[in-house]
């Protein structure tokens, strides 16, 4: 028998939010991994890392740096 860990919304963990839009978008993308195939996880983590680095460096989102 397979159980869903958070079948009831009241049981779901509180979502982490920082107040920084770019960082919150990265967190949301990682939170959605549970709904995606495992073979897509690496790309999501790499993109998350790149976006967090840009955010820390102060680089605009559309700058290819």
């Amino acid at each position: 028998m397979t159980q869903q860990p958070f079948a009831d919304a009241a049981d779901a963990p509180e979502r982490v939010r920082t107040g920084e839009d770019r960082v919150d978008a990265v967190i949301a993308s990682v939170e959605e991994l549970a709904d995606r195939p495992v073979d897509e996880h690496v790309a999501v983590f790499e993109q998350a890392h790149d976006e967090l680095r840009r955010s820390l460096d102060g680089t605009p989102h559309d700058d290819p740096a």
Side-chain angles (χ1 to χ4, degrees):
M1 181 166 120
T2 304
Q3 286 185 317
Q4 294 181 2
F6 303 110
D8 185 340
D11 294 335
E14 184 176 332
R15 300 294 186 192
V16 174
R17 297 295 174 252
T18 67
E20 293 290 328
D21 292 339
R22 289 170 64 181
V23 174
D24 290 345
V26 171
I27 293 170
S29 72
V30 172
E31 289 173 339
E32 294 170 0
L33 283 177
D35 299 330
R36 300 179 75 166
V38 173
D39 62 339
E40 294 180 14
H41 289 199
V42 171
V44 172
F45 283 125
E46 288 175 346
Q47 184 177 5
H49 178 264
D50 290 344
E51 186 59 31
L52 289 173
R53 175 61 63 192
R54 282 189 200 102
S55 182
L56 288 170
D57 292 342
T59 307
H61 177 71
D62 54 359
D63 186 347

